[in-house]
Amino acid sequence: EGCVGSSARRTAASKREREKAHPLVDRRASRMEAVVGPRLVRRDGSSAPTGSALGSSAYVGLYFSAHWCGPCRGFTPQLVEFYESMGRDQLEIVFVSSDKSGEEMASYLSSMPWPAVPFEDGERRKGLGAKFRVKGIPTLVIVDGATGEVITTEGRAGVSGSGRASFPWRRETADEILRTVPSLLASGGDPVPTSSLDSKYLFLYFSAHWCPPCRGFTPRLAAFYERLRASGARVEIVFVSSDKSRAQFDEYFAEMPWLALPYDLRDQKLQLSKCFEVEGIPSLALLSPVDPVSGERRVVSRDARPTVADPDAVPNFPDSFAPKPYADIATTVECGGVDINDAPALVVLAEKSPPDVQRAAVDAVKTVAPTRDGTLFFYATSPDGPVARLRALCRTAASRDPTLLKLDIPNANYYLAPPLDVLTPAAITAFLADPGPPTPFGS
């Protein structure tokens, strides 16, 4: 997921070696089919099975683009030139269109020498954007052709920058970045060897004194930290500062009971922010202890902040921080690291429902969410956060009965289910299969 390091390289290489030993079992084709679908279309209008269209390329680039997008039209010729300079054994590309019609996509695809996800497979195209957290276009995501594991989401910068010299432009992992930090700072200013924390879970807390939401969240995080330590959990928090001066850093860090990345290590701070795609603060990520076999930490959660408020966060630690395919929209607008503004989402609002109806609604969401790719799942049992704004956009009032919505914010549409006394998994599944016609927001 994003920051892939040496252990992932070894894993990918070992998987490729196993597949060479069993050539009759085309596992690589099935893995890429799971990503882009069973068939791809070419610019001449023909289609082919994904396995034959992609061949045995070591890497696959997913090119998110559209003809209506000026920067995309500017980048595509550059990408074609780069693609044609690479051997097919090294790189294949799949176009994932954001065009508004099949005709527009076909016209744009005619300028590309690579295949594409069919326009008719709209749910998959939107799902890929959500899966890879595409915030804008053009975006080029590079994945391992054998395993489907993400190498980088910044292929566009690679093509425009270092090019073939450093392809496939692997990012350093958080673990690799931390290993360039010999020591962290304790609250009194004393150095703490980074290696002394190998047996502990590490929270990375991206924050700054000038940020009001950060100053509001820090006391709650401190209370959570004390409860977690009192429970016997082997855990530490590391403050990764976005303060604008050392004086601001010193003042803010003096309020914190945990460790900090030294302020002078600005390069490592920027690398960690980039690794976790931190676009706003406060942000909280969780890393595992160093694995005794691989010698590396793995990412447990890229978005740990909402879980801090969960009553079960401490007693169920660290499992409580494992990524979930659903979220409480009253506390976060992200699910699995994807923003509700960037992908289709099913939302259940039950802020005025009786407790038994609320429990049934939340259980229904949690039951269906793991079975559906490409759709975010949210629920709310309180009116906090953006709940009131969502109701205003969809012109629906809170009542005893839960409200079932499907949001398509990228296209400014929503779908509203008929009133339901009690929400069940079957009702959600049926609604997703046939949500009816879309309604523009505000109408």
Side-chain angles (χ1 to χ4, degrees):
E1 260 195 35
C3 305
V4 177
S6 56
S7 65
R9 290 196 287 273
R10 288 194 295 271
T11 300
S14 64
K15 287 181 178 178
R16 283 195 291 268
E17 290 303 316
R18 288 197 298 272
E19 283 158 8
K20 288 178 183 176
H22 301 280
L24 296 179
V25 181
D26 192 4
R27 293 187 179 91
R28 62 176 295 126
S30 63
R31 290 194 187 101
M32 290 312 302
E33 284 176 7
V35 177
V36 299
R39 297 187 71 84
L40 299 173
V41 296
R42 298 189 175 101
R43 60 182 173 183
D44 63 3
S46 64
S47 69
T50 294
S52 62
L54 300 184
S56 58
S57 293
Y59 302 99
V60 175
L62 302 176
Y63 181 39
F64 296 85
S65 185
H67 185 267
W68 53 260
C69 164
C72 297
R73 295 196 305 275
F75 177 66
T76 296
Q78 186 180 355
L79 181 58
V80 170
E81 182 179 354
F82 176 81
Y83 171 81
E84 291 178 341
S85 75
M86 299 287 290
R88 295 290 70 72
D89 62 329
Q90 280 297 301
L91 176 67
E92 189 52 85
I93 293 177
V94 176
F95 172 37
V96 185
S97 172
S98 293
D99 288 297
K100 298 174 182 177
S101 70
E103 291 75 17
E104 288 182 3
M105 174 182 155
S107 174
Y108 194 27
L109 180 59
S110 67
S111 67
M112 303 176 186
W114 47 75
V117 176
F119 184 82
E120 295 75 18
D121 199 351
E123 184 171 343
R124 185 178 298 276
R125 289 187 292 110
K126 289 182 180 179
L128 285 170
K131 177 181 177 69
F132 295 106
R133 290 177 275 181
V134 174
K135 302 293 186 183
I137 54 175
T139 290
L140 180 64
V141 177
I142 306 296
V143 303
D144 188 287
T147 68
E149 292 170 290
V150 176
I151 304 300
T152 182
T153 58
E154 298 180 354
R156 178 188 179 191
V159 170
S160 302
S162 59
R164 292 185 61 179
S166 58
F167 180 81
W169 315 301
R170 294 183 187 274
R171 259 195 241 167
E172 285 189 302
T173 67
D175 178 75
E176 290 168 335
I177 296 165
L178 288 172
R179 290 192 182 283
T180 69
V181 179
S183 61
L184 300 165
L185 289 180
S187 55
D190 294 329
V192 175
T194 306
S195 58
S196 69
L197 305 174
D198 284 357
S199 64
K200 294 185 177 183
Y201 284 87
L202 279 190
F203 284 98
L204 300 181
Y205 180 38
F206 300 87
S207 186
H209 185 268
W210 52 260
C211 164
C214 297
R215 294 198 305 273
F217 179 66
T218 297
R220 298 198 296 273
L221 182 61
F224 165 78
Y225 175 69
E226 295 303 330
R227 293 196 306 274
L228 195 55
R229 303 243 319 177
S231 75
R234 295 188 59 77
V235 64
E236 191 52 83
I237 297 179
V238 178
F239 170 40
V240 183
S241 172
S242 293
D243 287 301
K244 298 175 182 178
S245 69
R246 178 184 286 279
Q248 287 183 352
F249 166 81
D250 289 341
E251 180 182 354
Y252 194 28
F253 183 43
E255 303 172 11
M256 301 177 181
W258 44 70
L259 307 179
L261 180 75
Y263 185 77
D264 291 341
L265 300 183
R266 294 290 85 189
D267 285 346
Q268 286 90 335
K269 182 271 172 190
L270 290 173
Q271 289 174 327
L272 286 169
S273 294
K274 191 174 183 180
C275 179
F276 288 101
E277 300 178 357
V278 174
E279 296 181 349
I281 53 176
S283 182
L284 189 67
L286 177 61
L287 301 175
S288 74
V290 172
D291 183 89
V293 176
S294 69
E296 298 182 350
R297 295 182 187 271
R298 64 177 177 83
V299 177
V300 177
S301 174
R302 296 177 176 277
D303 184 25
R305 179 186 166 195
T307 310
V308 168
D310 189 334
D312 294 326
V314 171
N316 293 336
F317 183 83
D319 293 344
S320 51
F321 284 88
K324 300 175 181 64
Y326 50 81
D328 182 351
I329 199 169
T331 62
T332 179
V333 295
E334 289 195 355
C335 177
V338 182
D339 193 290
I340 195 172
N341 293 293
D342 300 324
L346 180 127
V347 181
V348 174
L349 304 178
E351 68 272 33
K352 285 193 174 181
S353 300
D356 59 328
V357 175
Q358 289 182 338
R359 285 193 295 271
V362 173
D363 287 346
V365 170
K366 292 181 177 180
T367 298
V368 177
T371 70
R372 304 279 300 204
D373 290 330
T375 299
L376 310 183
F377 284 80
F378 293 92
Y379 61 84
T381 56
S382 79
D384 299 335
V387 171
R389 174 62 177 157
L390 279 178
R391 287 202 176 276
L393 281 172
C394 300
R395 297 189 178 277
T396 177
S399 68
R400 178 196 180 282
D401 298 332
T403 301
L404 179 57
L405 296 163
K406 181 179 179 183
L407 303 180
D408 186 6
I409 294 179
N411 293 308
N413 292 323
Y414 71 94
Y415 304 79
L416 176 63
L420 295 164
D421 291 338
V422 177
L423 193 61
T424 64
I428 292 178
T429 302
F431 176 60
L432 288 171
D434 183 15
T439 302
F441 284 132
S443 64

